Structure formats: structure tokens, C-alpha cells
Amino acid sequence: METMPTYIDLVLPLPVNQNFTYHIPDKYIGKVQVGSRVVVPFGNRKFYTGLIKNIHHNQPEYETKPIEILLDEEPVVNPSMFKLWEWIAGYYLSSEGEVMKAALPSALKLESQTNIMPDTEWEQTEKLSPTEETVLQFIVDQQKCSIQQINSLTKKANAYPYIQSLLKKGAVIIEEKITERYRPKTITHVKVNSRLANETQMQAAFDQLKKSDKQTELLMLLLNQLHYYSNKPLESVSKKELMNKAGCTEAVLKSLEKKDFIETVELTTDRLQNIEASKKNNPLNQYQEKALNEIYAHFENKNVVLLNGVTASGKTEIYLRLAQEQLKAGKQVLYLLPEIALTSQIIERLTNILGSTAGVYHSKFSDAERVEIWNKVAAFLPGTNNQYQLILGARSALFLPFSNLGLIIVDEEHESSFKQFDPAPRYNARDCAVVLAGLHNAKVLMGTATPSFESYLNASSGKYGLVNLSKRHNNVLLPEIVVADLSDAHKRKLMKSHFTPLLFTEMEMALAANEQIILFQNRRGFSPFIQCRSCGYIPKCMHCDVSLTYHKYFNNLQCHYCGYTTQLPGSCSQCGSADVQTKGFGTEKVEDELKIFFPGVKIGRLDFDASRTKQGFQKVIGEFTEGKTRILVGTQMVTKGLDFENVSLVGILNADNLMNYPDFRSYEKAYQLMAQVSGRAGRKSKQGKVIIQTSQPNHPVIKHVIAHNYDIFFNQFISERKLFRYPPWYRLIYLTIKHKNKERAQAAAGQLAKQLRTQLGERVMGPEFHLISRLQQYYQLMIRIKLEKNISPPKAKTTIINAIETIKAFENNSSVIVSIDVDPY
């Protein structure tokens, strides 16, 4: 009886709202599994890694292609992950392929690398341009090269036109080569050759080596290291360790290998360190015990609990207790943090207590390290060793292949860093964590000192459990917060650069008392822009509608949106005047001026520039923790959950920038930032002090920060959100329409708004130019959609996607880019 052909539906890493069907060739029948990776052809010359989502016998209406390669004997993605991807794609209006790209480590995705080779049978009949001749000669010399190599040769971002021309003329051909990016780490080991199987053969070997003292010594050392003559000899030893102990050259080992007395083998090893637990939990105080018991009580009938605990109240110790309980029950735990930067401090605490059951996962790891962590999580079995049971990570850790999840901890749940802004899917890891927990029947604990309006409304309305922890550990008082009036200090000409007399005096006192200081300025670089005093010209980015930021360390002007850089001009490019001055100040300038005011005092800086590398952040934080750095200047990074014992003073250099940003959440975010950075002061023994510099000392947000009263602040502003139809009462969706031609962008945006209004009416606002009207050479307009919470996301997705597809079919609109951002905050 002839068997029915078997088909698979694949998720491919493409921004297309559909799965793709292929058929399984006979050699793979019975071997494929849902969640395994396969390599498939797509189009004429492209190959992609696809994930098997479904196996069936339903032949589609079109002729299917066969899969090329089956990559996995065991699935790398489990069914609950596919369900999470479906929810993310539906809610955030993206494709499952885009979710797949975000979820899988890049080393698990094969790349179709295009190689260019010369056509040996080509006979030249057409004239080549000078650039084409250069490119062709390079390809002939290399025999095989990638497009990236040709780009480097031509010093152009895209050499494709020259390659395309050479292809048309028949001078070159294309080879598509699939490359697997992950390779296990191996260590070279040395063992005795199998032909020395008994004492007689071993004695004969030593007789042969009588004139080679070094080789004899090395062979003897190897036998000792292997415990060769014991009851349980080792099979092999590390080559590196053996050579270090032998103190001989590589040539000695090679000689023994040539004589077939020893052999070297490559053994797979972990890139990840194994750490033994060395400490016990700190005892909980009465307030922590009460909070923990309340969390247990809420978990009886609620799946999500919000722990609203003031800064330094010991929330992490509560997290640890809950996590340990899940680990003992054989469950997995996911501990989400908003920033990679926070992991170094917390993982040390976790591994001291939990040992190697705790691991870290984030984007600063190499591809190979991320794959190994992925595999450890996927292979988890209760009661087994060498497998991560608790994962600490930033938002991408949400996509790990958990199979037995019991608890998700979302620390600093209010943080905007949990939101992915580009590229799609533009998801919020905090909200996805609630869905992921539901798929595993797990619990979610969100913790913060300054809850988001969304979470606090859910908690106060009874949807989430709410637990308050209002006392600091060891009953240390919350910091004293004092306002320094910038306007008054400027009028009286009392400012010392960017420091009011009050802040400067407090800094001198803190340094004299051998205490540490944190200064918060939410701008990196030396100054936000430079300006000609003669004509008023301000240099702008050639790709974006923004001014260039001056970075003194690199002595250049940088665009913080597209990365464009240019040298600092010696004179104005418009009028030629040499009177060009820096305006405003960033963290780099603050650091520079502090070195003048406090010579001999070590100053540290914590911002994006200082922590680009995996070690950069750890070095800055390490030196501050050890007390080597006395003053730390930073952006938002210094506000996020860091714990320092000796910080007595925090200075917020310009609160006005935080409160006056044109966004419906500006007051909420300003309160959170000021309260969080204030919480870094006086955490261990004595009350700290916070100085807020502002020109608006009577602003209601500042008054609420001083009073440490989040409830009153929340109640005052949540009603305004409802009045003006903003989250958390309504769902907000932003559509950004982009094109390099300004008129085309405007026309397409108008067409899309008109199309959307036919279905959504007054819920559609705009279009209007974005706050940054041109970004990376694209003009961008925005349409805002405010939807009632009772409108289902899939229905909204259908309406919006249909409208986009309709206007994309209009003449000249095929190159218009439309991006969708659901909950854009």
C-alpha cells in the first residue's frame, strides 16, 4: 500500500503573516519532529532555517518543495513556546517569523551566505567599467569571496550593482553555501595510544626512548597523571595542564605522537563556569516575613502578585525564598531584570546561595555561549546536575525553552527597558511573562518601588494581588530629599558650573566624611550640541533631523540615533566663524568638571559609552563597590536596582528635562527615575540625602517625590489618563510611515489614515510628523490609534494589516515602510 505524502508547516524568519508548507522526502520520514529545525529553499537561490510547527498529510493547492536538511534529532522549541509566539504575533501585530528571529540565538539560525566565483568559461565580449574590472580581478584572485569582502574592497556599503552587472555579462557565478554558526567548545586531551595495551609493549616503548630523556619524562608524567597503574585509571588528561607541568616544548609531545606512543583527542566541554554554593540566606526581618506570607496567600487564588516595596527594603531576599521553594519542588525559575547591567551584582548573590543551578542569559554573551545555555535549559530534568534551573536575564531570556516553569520574577517591573522598540516584534517582556506563566500554570511576582500605572491599576482593582513593603531593611530611614532652585542660583550667580551651592557643599561634606556620591544626568556625551555664536548654526546629522552630540573622549560629533559621526569642526561651516561653543551638558562634561573641582578624587562614569562591552560595566561598578571610585556620574543606568553600602548623597542635576518631555507618561517616568535614583542613598546604616536641582521647585511631581507617597501621586494623575483616553484605560497603537521622499511619505500616511477611519472612526488620530521627522534618511509620520480594552487584539490586527496592505497596493507605495507598535511605552 502506498503511503500518503507527509507535509510540514514551517515558521520561517520572515515578516510574512503565514506559515509555509513543504514535503518530507523519504529519507526523513519518521525522523522529523515538531520543534525541530530544517533547512529549506525559498525563492530561487535562498535558503532559510525553518522550525517545524505542524506535521500533516494535507496537500496544499500549490506544488511543494522538499526540505533540504534535517538539523535536529530532538526539538529545540517546545509546544508552549509556539503558543507564546502566536500570542506575541497576535497581540503585537507582527509575524511569527519575526518572533522566531527575536527568540532563537543567532547561532541556531543557519545563514545562506552568498559566495561569488569567477566563471572559468567566460569570454569577454563587452567592455567593463574600471570598478567592474577591479571587482572581477579580486574575485579571480580569491577564487571565492563573499559580498561583504567585495564591499570592503570597493569601500561601498553595497557593491551589489557591480556584482549584478558582472552576473549579467556572465563573468561570475553565484554559489549558495549553508553555514552552521554554532560549534561546541573543545579542549585537547592527551591519552596513551591503544597499541600500548600491556606492560610488555609499554616496556618496549621506554626501551625505544632511552636516548630521549625529555620524551621519557613526558611519557612518565602522562602515566602518573592518568593514574595508569591504579585500579581506576583516567582515560585522558588536559594537554594544557600536562604541558604546564612537564615544562617541555610542543615538539617533545609531537615526537611521542609520531611514534604512536600517545594520541591527542578533542573533547567537548562547557563554555560556562560551574560554581559551588558557598553562603546561606540572610534572615528575613518581620516586615519581609509578613510580605512573604501575604504573597503566599495571594498565590492561592491569583496568578500575579505585585510587591510594592520601597528601595532597600530587601525585595531580593524575598525573591530568593520563593525561587528556592520552586527549585526544591523540581521547577524552573525565570528571574527577569530590565538591564543586562544589573545581572553582575545579582548573579553573584544568587550563585553564592544556589551554586551552578543559577545561570545568566543575555545578548552580551557570545553566540556559542547562548546556545549552550539554551541547550541546558531545554535538557532540564528535575533532580539532574549540570543544568540551569534558575535563569537570570534581560527580556530575551523570556524565549528560552522552559519545560517545567514554576515561577517568574519580574524585578523593577516599571522599567521601559522591558519594552522592545526595534525591530519587530515590539513586545513588552513584563506582559509576555504573564502569558508565559499562564502557559506553564506558573506564578508571577512583579517587584518595584515605583509601580507602573498599568500594574498598579491591576493590583488596586484586584486583578493582581498587592503586597506592600514600606520599611527599609534594618529600619534605615528613607533619604531626606531637598530641592535646590536652579533659577534662583543662576540669578544670584552662585552656580559652580552645573552645581548649585547646596549640592556642591553637600558633595564636599560627603567626600570629607569618606562617603560616596552618585550624580544623575540623563544625557550622555559632553554636550547635546554645539552652536556658532556668530550665525547661530547648529550642526545636524546628515541622515536624521537631530543635532549632533559632542563627545570629548572621541573628539567628534555623534548622532545617537543612527551612529553617524564626524570630526569636531574648527570653525562654523556656514559663516566660517571660529566662535563655536558647546551648549548644555552630558555625563562626560560633568565628569570632566568634577576632576577640576576635586583633583585627586577618582571619578567614574556609567552610561552607554562606558559600558559598551561585557566587562565595561563590571569594571565601573566594581571600582565603585570597592570604594576606589568616590563619585559616580551616570544616566538612567545608575537608577536601576544597584546596591552600594557607602553612598550617602545623590544629586539629580536637572529634573526639568525629565518632567517636560512631550509624552503622556512624562510625569510617571520622572517620578520613577527620581524616586529610584534617590533610593541609592543611605541603604545600609544611616539616612542618605538627595538634592534635586530644578527650576520648578513647586512642581507637583517633585512634591510627591519628596513626600515618598506613590499612592497620592498615582490617584492624582490616573484620572487624567482616563479623561484623555490614554493607557492603562485604553490600548494605544502607533503606526509609523516611512519613506525617503517626504511627499510620498505624507501621501501614504494620509491614505492609510483615511483607510483606517472607515473601520475605526475617531479612534484614529493623525497623521503628523514624528517628533524626529527624519531618521536614517527616512521621513517618518505617525498615526495614533486609541482602542477600548474590550476590542480584541486579533480583530484590531486584521483591520490594521488589511488597511496597510490596501494602501501598499496603491501606485508608488510599494517602497513605503509601515511599522506597528502596540503599547508603545
Side-chain angles (χ1 to χ4, degrees):
M1 183 178 174
E2 190 175 335
T3 58
M4 291 180 66
T6 306
Y7 299 93
I8 54 172
D9 295 332
L10 292 183
V11 180
L12 293 179
L14 300 169
V16 182
N17 287 295
Q18 69 175 80
N19 297 145
F20 298 87
T21 303
Y22 289 78
H23 67 262
I24 305 173
D26 291 342
K27 64 180 177 178
Y28 291 133
I29 293 289
K31 296 180 180 179
V32 298
Q33 295 187 58
V34 171
S36 293
R37 296 174 303 151
V38 293
V39 177
V40 294
F42 190 86
N44 292 328
R45 291 190 174 272
K46 287 291 179 185
F47 291 89
Y48 286 101
T49 304
L51 275 167
I52 301 173
K53 189 179 180 186
N54 190 23
I55 303 172
H56 58 89
H57 298 289
N58 303 319
Q59 183 175 357
E61 294 178 356
Y62 52 87
E63 186 178 345
T64 58
K65 294 179 181 179
I67 63 173
E68 292 283 329
I69 306 169
L70 174 65
L71 293 173
D72 306 302
E73 293 181 6
E74 297 294 329
V76 296
V77 172
N78 59 45
S80 64
M81 292 179 68
F82 278 126
K83 289 178 183 176
L84 178 66
W85 294 8
E86 286 174 7
W87 183 85
I88 290 173
Y91 185 85
Y92 292 102
L93 310 191
S94 64
S95 70
E96 287 182 56
E98 289 169 317
V99 183
M100 173 187 166
K101 286 184 76 172
L104 286 185
S106 56
L108 284 180
K109 293 174 283 193
L110 290 180
E111 292 185 338
S112 176
Q113 184 185 12
T114 302
N115 286 322
I116 314 298
M117 300 185 299
D119 189 336
T120 54
E121 298 179 2
W122 178 64
E123 293 181 6
Q124 185 170 351
T125 56
E126 299 178 66
K127 188 176 179 181
L128 302 181
S129 71
T131 305
E132 286 174 344
E133 286 183 354
T134 304
V135 170
L136 179 60
Q137 189 58 51
F138 178 73
I139 295 170
V140 170
D141 292 342
Q142 298 292 319
Q143 282 301 297
K144 184 188 291 185
C145 55
S146 67
I147 292 176
Q148 288 84 351
Q149 289 174 306
I150 298 170
N151 287 345
S152 300
L153 171 77
T154 58
K155 293 183 172 58
K156 293 182 181 293
N158 189 356
Y160 186 78
Y162 305 108
I163 298 166
Q164 189 67 25
S165 177
L166 290 170
L167 278 168
K168 285 181 179 178
K169 292 171 182 176
V172 297
I173 57 175
I174 280 180
E175 175 204 61
E176 290 291 342
K177 181 184 177 183
I178 295 292
T179 56
E180 174 114 49
R181 299 180 62 173
Y182 172 64
R183 292 286 183 272
K185 182 180 180 181
T186 58
I187 292 180
T188 305
H189 273 230
V190 182
K191 66 179 188 177
V192 176
N193 194 297
S194 57
R195 79 179 193 77
L196 302 183
N198 54 50
E199 280 198 41
T200 304
Q201 291 167 332
M202 186 66 74
Q203 187 58 52
F206 278 115
D207 289 342
Q208 193 177 332
L209 293 174
K210 278 183 179 178
K211 294 182 180 179
S212 306
D213 292 344
K214 289 288 185 185
Q215 292 177 39
T216 301
E217 288 173 13
L218 183 58
L219 183 56
M220 284 293 294
L221 179 62
L222 174 61
L223 295 176
N224 287 332
Q225 292 293 108
L226 291 172
H227 309 295
Y228 192 74
Y229 295 106
S230 69
N231 292 329
K232 292 183 178 180
L234 300 175
E235 191 172 322
S236 63
V237 295
S238 161
K239 175 186 168 184
K240 184 178 180 181
E241 290 178 16
L242 180 69
M243 298 304 287
N244 285 341
K245 288 184 178 179
C248 63
T249 64
E250 186 88 11
V252 177
L253 185 134
K254 291 285 185 189
S255 297
L256 285 175
E257 200 170 3
K258 280 183 181 179
K259 291 171 182 173
D260 287 338
F261 294 159
I262 66 170
E263 56 183 301
T264 56
V265 291
E266 298 296 321
L267 299 183
T268 302
T269 184
D270 271 352
R271 290 179 169 86
L272 312 168
Q273 294 180 337
N274 287 319
I275 303 167
E276 293 297 322
S278 59
K279 291 184 180 179
K280 293 183 178 180
N281 289 320
N282 295 322
L284 299 182
N285 62 31
Q286 65 186 64
Y287 307 108
Q288 290 171 312
E289 287 280 7
K290 181 174 179 289
L292 183 59
N293 289 330
E294 287 179 14
I295 292 168
Y296 284 134
H298 280 301
F299 276 157
E300 289 293 324
N301 49 36
K302 286 183 170 41
N303 291 325
V304 184
V305 174
L306 175 65
L307 175 59
N308 180 22
V310 297
T311 54
S313 58
K315 294 187 290 293
T316 305
E317 291 296 333
I318 294 174
Y319 301 156
L320 266 170
R321 293 297 197 286
L322 290 162
Q324 284 174 296
E325 184 183 81
Q326 293 297 321
L327 301 185
K328 285 176 185 174
K331 296 279 190 176
Q332 295 169 297
V333 176
L334 173 59
Y335 190 141
L336 286 176
L337 291 164
E339 291 277 359
I340 294 169
L342 295 176
T343 58
S344 58
Q345 270 200 341
I346 294 180
I347 194 59
E348 186 177 350
R349 293 174 69 179
L350 290 175
T351 51
N352 281 339
I353 293 169
L354 303 175
S356 293
T357 58
V360 185
Y361 184 83
H362 54 63
S363 58
K364 288 285 175 75
F365 281 130
S366 69
D367 282 347
E369 286 173 321
R370 295 180 81 190
V371 171
E372 289 191 9
I373 297 167
W374 182 281
N375 291 339
K376 275 193 167 190
V377 175
F380 172 74
L381 286 172
T384 53
N385 295 322
N386 198 33
Q387 292 169 344
Y388 288 149
Q389 210 174 337
L390 181 147
I391 288 290
L392 176 77
R395 60 176 180 261
S396 60
L398 182 86
F399 294 115
L400 284 167
F402 296 103
S403 57
N404 195 22
L405 199 58
L407 175 69
I408 301 178
I409 297 163
V410 185
D411 197 13
E412 309 294 346
E413 67 82 26
H414 66 279
E415 274 290 345
S416 58
S417 301
F418 280 124
K419 170 73 174 177
Q420 161 84 3
F421 288 103
D422 261 324
R426 296 172 179 86
Y427 66 97
N428 189 308
R430 176 198 65 202
D431 300 336
C432 293
V434 176
V435 177
L436 177 63
L439 294 171
H440 288 267
N441 198 25
K443 303 295 184 183
V444 179
L445 178 66
M446 299 180 181
T448 179
T450 53
S452 64
F453 275 23
E454 293 77 29
S455 296
Y456 202 67
L457 182 64
N458 282 331
S460 55
S461 65
K463 184 178 179 180
Y464 296 170
L466 176 61
V467 176
N468 292 303
L469 185 57
S470 56
K471 295 286 185 181
R472 280 186 148 190
H473 199 62
N474 293 333
N475 287 317
V476 175
L477 294 173
L478 286 166
E480 177 192 0
I481 301 178
V482 183
V483 174
D485 191 333
L486 280 172
S487 295
D488 184 65
H490 277 295
K491 284 177 187 174
R492 297 171 182 269
K493 297 184 179 178
L494 297 174
M495 294 289 291
K496 287 197 173 184
S497 182
H498 307 295
F499 308 103
T500 56
L502 175 60
L503 177 56
F504 196 85
T505 302
E506 290 289 345
M507 289 170 63
E508 289 179 316
M509 290 168 61
L511 292 173
N514 202 30
E515 294 166 343
Q516 290 174 296
I517 302 163
I518 289 178
L519 297 177
F520 171 56
Q521 169 61 7
N522 209 25
R523 283 183 183 273
R524 63 186 174 100
F526 190 84
S527 61
F529 61 97
I530 63 170
Q531 185 173 27
C532 173
R533 293 187 68 183
S534 298
C535 70
Y537 173 71
I538 298 171
K540 288 192 171 183
C541 175
M542 64 184 296
H543 307 301
C544 311
D545 190 20
V546 293
S547 58
L548 293 169
T549 300
Y550 172 51
H551 286 253
K552 186 176 180 181
Y553 181 81
F554 300 106
N555 195 35
N556 65 14
L557 299 174
Q558 296 181 15
C559 174
H560 288 175
Y561 290 89
C562 73
Y564 169 77
T565 61
T566 185
Q567 290 299 308
L568 182 70
S571 59
C572 176
S573 62
Q574 300 297 300
C575 69
S577 170
D579 193 5
V580 178
Q581 290 190 339
T582 60
K583 296 288 184 178
F585 66 101
T587 50
E588 207 177 345
K589 189 172 186 179
V590 175
E591 179 191 24
D592 221 41
E593 292 177 343
L594 286 170
K595 290 176 180 176
I596 298 170
F597 288 130
F598 302 109
V601 173
K602 186 168 175 59
I603 317 293
R605 175 165 53 87
L606 187 62
D607 55 23
F608 180 77
D609 298 318
S611 60
R612 287 177 188 268
T613 64
K614 193 174 175 180
Q615 291 78 28
F617 174 86
Q618 293 174 353
K619 182 184 177 186
V620 175
I621 290 299
E623 290 181 348
F624 194 64
T625 304
E626 293 166 13
K628 294 177 184 176
T629 301
R630 302 291 304 284
I631 305 175
L632 182 64
V633 184
T635 55
Q636 289 187 41
M637 286 186 177
V638 300
T639 72
K640 298 179 180 180
L642 296 169
D643 190 11
F644 306 110
E645 292 190 11
N646 197 35
V647 174
S648 64
L649 177 67
V650 167
I652 297 170
L653 299 184
N654 192 337
D656 299 338
N657 286 345
L658 304 175
M659 297 183 296
N660 297 327
Y661 189 77
D663 183 82
F664 76 94
R665 293 185 78 221
S666 59
Y667 286 178
E668 180 187 355
K669 292 174 83 172
Y671 180 96
Q672 289 166 344
L673 281 168
M674 286 190 276
Q676 287 286 342
V677 75
S678 299
R680 303 312 110 204
R683 294 174 68 89
K684 295 296 178 183
S685 54
K686 72 169 198 175
Q687 185 182 27
K689 181 173 276 191
V690 179
I691 311 293
I692 299 177
Q693 295 190 157
T694 175
S695 301
Q696 303 166 275
N698 295 316
H699 197 287
V701 174
I702 288 178
K703 288 187 174 181
H704 289 307
V705 172
I706 293 170
H708 299 292
N709 198 320
Y710 179 84
D711 271 335
I712 297 174
F713 167 74
F714 172 81
N715 289 327
Q716 179 176 346
F717 293 107
I718 193 69
S719 55
E720 290 183 9
R721 297 274 189 94
K722 192 171 189 178
L723 180 65
F724 293 104
R725 298 192 302 159
Y726 276 110
W729 303 106
Y730 285 76
R731 181 172 290 119
L732 200 58
I733 301 174
Y734 286 173
L735 305 182
T736 303
I737 301 91
K738 302 178 186 178
H739 199 276
K740 289 185 177 180
N741 180 284
K742 186 176 182 180
E743 288 72 27
R744 174 49 44 207
Q746 285 178 291
Q751 291 164 350
L752 180 56
K754 183 179 179 181
Q755 193 72 30
L756 287 166
R757 284 194 180 97
T758 62
Q759 297 290 319
L760 299 174
E762 294 182 355
R763 299 180 185 91
V764 180
M765 292 169 288
E768 60 190 17
F769 273 104
H770 199 281
L771 191 63
I772 301 169
S773 61
R774 189 169 68 105
L775 188 68
Q776 297 178 1
Q777 297 188 339
Y778 282 87
Y779 290 94
Q780 50 180 18
L781 291 95
M782 183 178 287
I783 295 171
R784 293 175 172 86
I785 303 172
K786 292 179 179 178
L787 296 176
E788 298 86 348
K789 282 294 185 78
N790 59 4
I791 295 178
S792 72
K795 185 178 178 182
K797 179 176 184 176
T798 301
T799 301
I800 292 169
I801 296 297
N802 286 346
I804 292 170
E805 289 176 352
T806 299
I807 69 108
K808 290 273 279 185
F810 291 174
E811 188 178 0
N812 299 323
N813 278 359
S814 59
S815 56
V816 172
I817 298 169
V818 182
S819 61
I820 307 170
D821 194 358
V822 179
D823 300 343
Y825 46 82

